[in-house]
């Protein structure tokens, strides 16, 4: 499409703004991430003396770093609207978020919408593709204890063993509460064709807005953090240390991300801000509040059929109600993602998620970030960067 002379000033401003935003992002990373690493090194004696306090402080700095990433989108006009239950009510409980995965913007969206959920971000563990280990944020995620998983059949069994070991060694010993999991195992555009072929071969519903999830990581998380708790021996730490600390994994939060007209945000857009302001929608399923959607599986847990007249209600699922056996858990996960398919179909058709039963329309909540808080954490990052640079420069001159 040809560019007219009238559009040149607007496109020029978009380019200048994108370059300025990119320069600020680079500066932001150059001061914030090394400062975080230096603070963690400085606090190592505290880790030996009081591990719980150390990981609390580390978690707060981790939350601030994610808040900086969220602020890049916030100031570009990329905001988030939440639907369904307010998950703040369970922010102090242990939970797993099952999220559909469409683009790199999904991660940025979650970084933003979870900032106002108390200490959730500080005590959160992410399961992400191993490629993120080699990004600028990789060192932060490694220190915090996030898990990088390699995709592909050749790595699958080994990665599940490593995940189980990682949870046992890092989850409760670092006082983690929530886990973010993308069960589809990749972006929608990359997995859709394979998923549809698998569904056709196995007589499963044809999905276009999501793909059929993989069960491995979910099963490992449940077996590592639920089964042992039931036997009275919490996973991932010394029982004496944890006896008054944790009630174990309690909830699975079914989370659905939707982009208006299916126009996805990616990390490049989030950083450069060259697109017009847009709203990303995040839906949480809540206990007992919901409306049955047409065309979702019947009550039969074995996925025997698809009914056109009924479907399950929205809810945050208590872990005790989730099956742990492989076949039953697989069917349970399939049901959740088929429900997501219908949620997203309804959203793309109407521009809103379906209302709870007994209501004419769904209620949404606009998520906001405090500009004062953003100014504080950014100022702290740049002042810390200057302080560490001055300190290192001083010791360098003293030594050499």
């Amino acid at each position: 499409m040809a560019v007219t002379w009238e559009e040149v000033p607007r496109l020029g401003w978009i380019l200048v703004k994108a370059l300025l935003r990119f320069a600020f992002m680079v500066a932001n990373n150059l001061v914030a991430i090394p400062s975080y690493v230096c603070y963690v090194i400085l606090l190592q004696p505290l880790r030996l003396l009081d591990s719980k306090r150390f990981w609390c402080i580390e978690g707060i700095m981790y939350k601030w770093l994610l808040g900086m990433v969220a602020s890049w989108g916030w100031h570009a006009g990329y905001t988030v609207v939440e639907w369904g239950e307010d998950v703040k009510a369970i922010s102090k409980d242990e939970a797993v978020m099952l999220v559909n995965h469409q683009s790199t913007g999904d991660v940025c969206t979650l970084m933003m919408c979870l900032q106002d959920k108390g200490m959730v971000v500080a005590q959160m563990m992410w399961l992400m593709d191993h490629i993120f280990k080699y990004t600028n944020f990789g060192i932060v995620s490694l220190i915090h204890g996030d898990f990088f998983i390699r995709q592909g059949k050749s790595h699958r069994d080994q990665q599940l063993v490593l995940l189980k070991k990682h949870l046992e060694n890092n989850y409760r010993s670092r006082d983690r509460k929530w886990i973010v999991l993308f069960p589809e195992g990749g972006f929608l555009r990359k997995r859709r064709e394979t998923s549809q072929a698998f569904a056709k071969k196995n007589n499963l519903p044809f999905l276009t807005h999501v793909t059929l999830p993989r069960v491995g990581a979910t099963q490992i998380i449940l077996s590592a953090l639920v089964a042992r708790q039931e036997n009275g021996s919490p996973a991932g730490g010394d029982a004496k240390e944890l006896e008054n600390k944790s009630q174990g994994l309690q909830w699975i939060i079914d989370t659905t991300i939707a982009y208006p007209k299916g126009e996805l945000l990616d990390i490049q857009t989030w950083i450069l801000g060259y697109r017009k302001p847009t709203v990303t929608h995040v839906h949480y399923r809540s206990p007992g509040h919901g409306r049955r959607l047409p065309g979702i599986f019947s009550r039969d847990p074995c996925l025997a059929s698809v009914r056109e007249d009924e479907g399950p209600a929205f809810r945050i699922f208590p872990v005790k109600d989730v099956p742990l056996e492989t076949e039953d858990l697989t069917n349970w996960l399939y049901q959740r993602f088929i429900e997501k398919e219908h949620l997203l179909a309804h959203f793309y058709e109407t521009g809103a998620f379906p209302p709870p039963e007994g209501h004419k329309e769904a209620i949404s909540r606009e998520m906001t970030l405090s500009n004062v808080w953003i100014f504080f954490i950014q100022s702290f990052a740049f002042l810390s960067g200057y302080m560490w640079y001055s300190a290192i420069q001083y010791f360098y001159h003293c030594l050499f």
Side-chain angles (χ1 to χ4, degrees):
M1 183 177 178
V3 177
T4 63
W5 282 107
E6 290 78 7
E7 293 177 311
V8 170
R10 181 180 65 85
L11 294 176
W13 167 240
I14 290 174
L15 177 61
V16 170
K17 184 174 69 171
L19 291 174
L20 290 173
R21 286 176 59 87
F22 181 75
F24 177 79
M25 184 275 295
V26 171
N28 207 175
N29 277 278
L30 287 176
V31 296
I33 294 177
S35 294
Y36 165 87
V37 174
C38 289
Y39 279 124
V40 169
I41 294 172
L42 182 68
L43 290 170
Q44 286 304 305
L46 178 62
R47 182 178 182 180
L48 297 175
L49 297 171
D50 190 344
S51 178
K52 181 178 180 180
R53 192 175 301 276
F54 169 83
W55 288 114
C56 178
I57 296 172
E58 182 278 333
I60 291 171
M61 293 191 294
Y62 181 83
K63 178 180 179 180
W64 289 357
L65 286 174
L66 268 60
M68 292 174 198
V69 177
S71 72
W72 302 341
W74 173 257
H75 289 300
Y78 306 144
T79 57
V80 175
V81 167
E82 297 178 310
W83 303 73
E85 186 73 0
D86 187 352
V87 294
K88 289 179 184 178
I90 60 168
S91 62
K92 295 183 180 180
D93 297 338
E94 293 185 21
V96 177
M97 296 185 75
L98 300 181
V99 191
N100 62 310
H101 206 11
Q102 302 176 73
S103 74
T104 51
D106 298 340
V107 175
C108 300
T109 296
L110 293 175
M111 287 181 178
M112 177 183 288
C113 69
L114 295 175
Q115 284 292 329
D116 66 344
K117 308 297 187 295
M119 290 293 289
V120 161
V121 175
Q123 297 176 298
M124 176 175 283
M125 179 182 288
W126 295 74
L127 269 63
M128 61 187 80
D129 192 280
H130 80 287
I131 196 67
F132 285 99
K133 183 190 296 186
Y134 308 106
T135 66
N136 59 311
F137 211 77
I139 183 65
V140 175
S141 291
L142 280 170
I143 292 171
H144 184 70
D146 297 328
F147 183 77
F148 300 95
I149 190 165
R150 296 181 68 91
Q151 304 294 340
K153 290 183 179 179
S154 60
H155 303 290
R156 191 169 300 164
D157 292 339
Q158 180 192 26
Q159 290 300 297
L160 294 178
V161 171
L162 292 174
L163 173 58
K164 182 177 181 180
K165 184 178 180 181
H166 183 84
L167 291 170
E168 292 173 347
N169 292 337
N170 297 290
Y171 181 76
R172 293 207 173 95
S173 65
R174 301 188 182 195
D175 196 24
R176 298 294 171 247
K177 294 291 186 182
W178 284 25
I179 295 177
V180 178
L181 175 64
F182 299 98
E184 291 164 293
F187 296 138
L188 174 64
R189 69 179 186 276
K190 293 183 177 181
R191 288 213 61 243
R192 179 160 41 199
E193 186 175 337
T194 303
S195 174
Q196 290 173 345
F198 178 84
K200 183 177 181 180
K201 182 179 178 181
N202 292 275
N203 196 30
L204 294 168
F206 188 85
L207 308 177
T208 58
H209 303 304
V210 295
T211 63
L212 291 170
R214 293 168 176 170
V215 71
T218 306
Q219 188 172 35
I220 290 295
I221 291 170
L222 294 178
S223 64
L225 303 180
V226 176
R228 291 191 182 188
Q229 181 70 21
E230 291 175 351
N231 294 329
S233 177
D238 183 80
K240 187 175 181 180
E241 177 187 345
L242 299 166
E243 61 179 334
N244 295 320
K245 180 178 176 180
S246 172
Q247 296 181 18
L249 194 65
Q250 298 177 61
W251 308 101
I252 291 184
I253 306 170
D254 191 4
T255 308
T256 305
I257 298 176
Y259 297 92
K261 300 179 181 179
E263 297 175 355
L264 309 180
L265 279 179
D266 53 29
I267 187 65
Q268 301 96 307
T269 307
W270 195 269
I271 293 171
L272 301 177
Y274 52 80
R275 269 182 55 180
K276 292 180 180 180
T278 186
V279 179
T280 303
H281 299 258
V282 180
H283 184 277
Y284 308 106
R285 304 208 178 189
S286 55
H289 293 77
R291 167 185 169 190
R292 295 189 176 278
L293 298 173
I296 305 178
F297 281 119
S298 70
R299 293 186 183 91
D300 186 351
C302 296
L303 304 172
S305 63
V306 175
R307 293 280 300 273
E308 292 296 330
D309 59 343
E310 65 176 342
F314 305 154
R315 50 187 172 143
I316 296 172
F317 298 90
V319 166
K320 63 183 178 63
D321 294 340
V322 178
L324 299 179
E325 296 299 323
T326 302
E327 184 177 354
D328 291 338
L329 179 59
T330 300
N331 293 336
W332 186 90
L333 274 176
Y334 283 177
Q335 289 189 41
R336 304 291 75 78
F337 274 78
I338 291 167
E339 291 162 19
K340 286 180 184 292
E341 172 78 10
H342 288 269
L343 276 174
L344 289 167
H346 187 281
F347 177 86
Y348 293 135
E349 181 180 346
T350 66
F353 285 109
E357 188 175 357
H359 295 74
K360 292 185 178 180
E361 61 182 26
I363 299 175
S364 61
R365 303 173 300 279
E366 185 176 351
M367 191 273 164
T368 61
L369 291 178
S370 168
N371 288 321
V372 173
W373 178 73
I374 292 173
F375 178 79
F376 167 76
I377 62 174
Q378 292 286 12
S379 299
F380 181 81
F382 280 94
L383 289 172
S384 294
Y386 176 76
M387 179 194 74
W388 286 112
Y389 174 78
S390 299
I392 293 172
Q393 187 180 48
Y394 173 78
F395 283 113
Y396 178 82
H397 287 304
C398 288
L399 294 172
F400 304 101

